[in-house]
Amino acid sequence: MDFTLLKDFMDRLCAWRIPGNTVSVRIGGKEVFNYQSGWEDIEKKIPMQKDSLYNIYSCSKVTTAVAAMQLYEKGYFLLDEPVSTYIPEFGTLYVKGEDGQVRKAQKPLTIRHLLTMTGGLSYDDNTQGFKNARIESKGRMDTLTVVRHLADDPLLFEPGDNWHYSLGLDVMAGVIEVISGQKFRDYVKEHIFEPLGMNDSYYHNESVRDKMAKLYRYVDSDQVDLIAQQSGKAVPKFDGYLEDAGKDCSYVYGPEYDSGGAGITTSAHDYSVLAAALACGGVGPNGQRILAPGTIDFMRTDQLNDKTRPGFDWIQMKGYGYGIGVRTLVDKAGGSTGNLGEFGWGGAAGATVLADPSCQLSMFYTHHMLNQQEVFYQPRLRNVLYTCLSM
């Protein structure tokens, strides 16, 4: 086992256009490789740090799926129960057809639909529902108020008729609040972060911003002149520019919004602990169990069918199906050299979770750049990792 190829790949990414990156690889829960490349802050020439914090965007969905399945395995809900059982506003829903006409939905939205991205929800946050939530909450945008008002907007299609990336895991966070009687952030802290010893993971990052890596946005070459003229602050990076993107996550819609889909700020070391638990039958490196092995096997079981599979057509996901909030490898002919059943997810700024129970392998990789180039780096990263295991 030799991780030189992974080190070299990360260095090449940083020489290309990624500002900086870091990775933690574990086998059987034990860290076997940790590496940083590039810059945490290019302008100040601060190298990437092992304990830097990042907004991991949609990698947060993995935590939300774990939280949901904890309640599922304890008998608090069944997957095919209507969401309206817990959030009554979802009892009457409408669908906007391709002809632009809005009609009453014929099928209920279920918890399975939320967790598998097949409910017809979207990621559009410029809707009447969001406006209503902002007015009712007076800008606080607490999780349940926002989630309830998502039911104000018409669905893209009948629940179960397609796959479309959406705020489904955010709605699931609201369901978890109702079932648990806790704020979503508090539930996750008590039942996932604290048991696993994840002391550097947060849902609101105001207190730790000084530890965060600077977030950049990559601007393609055809937009360079416009951006440079408007801001004057862009950093040249080969055929494009890197510009300062701040430290806020645009999917955290207000000071009281615990985003189930994108809310976590964490370090590579901390989130690698959760990845390790998923690779090791639900047991973290410290010996604490957060899920049963059978529950994890269910999470990584492909949930797509003939109706929904065509919607899951992302280039970097060739050979993958979609389980409970995670991709899952179902066909190596898609180009992956990993093991069937390897699962995980990625985030908008370049974070990636991978867990493989067949060999208790886990990885958490992240860089800190919006327009994260996932079509390029994700498939290559996975293949390089598995090659290193045989060196």
Side-chain angles (χ1 to χ4, degrees), residues 17-20 39-43 48 52-57 205 209 211-218 233 235 241-251 262 264-265 347-351 366-372:
R17 61 182 55 158
I18 304 302
W39 303 100
E40 176 181 298
D41 187 313
I42 296 174
E43 293 83 357
M48 184 59 67
S52 294
L53 300 178
Y54 311 84
N55 290 328
I56 63 169
Y57 289 83
N205 62 28
R209 290 194 170 208
K211 293 179 62 179
M212 292 180 65
K214 186 173 182 178
L215 179 63
Y216 292 91
R217 179 182 291 103
Y218 178 72
K233 298 179 180 179
V235 178
Y241 272 73
L242 292 173
E243 63 173 351
D244 186 350
K247 293 185 177 180
D248 292 325
C249 173
S250 60
Y251 300 103
I264 294 176
T265 300
T366 188
H367 53 250
H368 52 121
M369 187 182 80
L370 297 172
N371 189 358
Q372 78 277 45

Side-chain angles (χ1 to χ4, degrees), residues 105-120:
Q106 300 301 301
K107 294 185 288 187
L109 179 72
T110 68
I111 291 178
R112 187 189 298 270
H113 294 142
L114 298 181
L115 292 170
T116 60
M117 300 291 180
T118 57

Side-chain angles (χ1 to χ4, degrees), residues 24 32 55 58 88 93 108 125 128-129 169 172 187 209 229 235 263 270 273 291 318 326 337 373-374 383 391:
S24 175
V32 294
N55 290 328
S58 286
L93 294 170
D125 55 13
Q128 189 60 49
L169 274 295
M172 192 68 227
Y187 177 88
R209 290 194 170 208
Q229 291 169 8
V235 178
D270 234 41
V273 170
L291 283 177
K318 286 183 178 179
V326 293
T337 60
Q373 314 292 296
E374 63 183 358
N383 288 343
M391 301 298 287

Side-chain angles (χ1 to χ4, degrees), residues 13-32:
L13 288 177
C14 291
W16 174 50
R17 61 182 55 158
I18 304 302
N21 52 27
T22 184
V23 72
S24 175
V25 179
R26 294 173 182 264
I27 296 179
K30 181 181 179 181
E31 188 173 69
V32 294

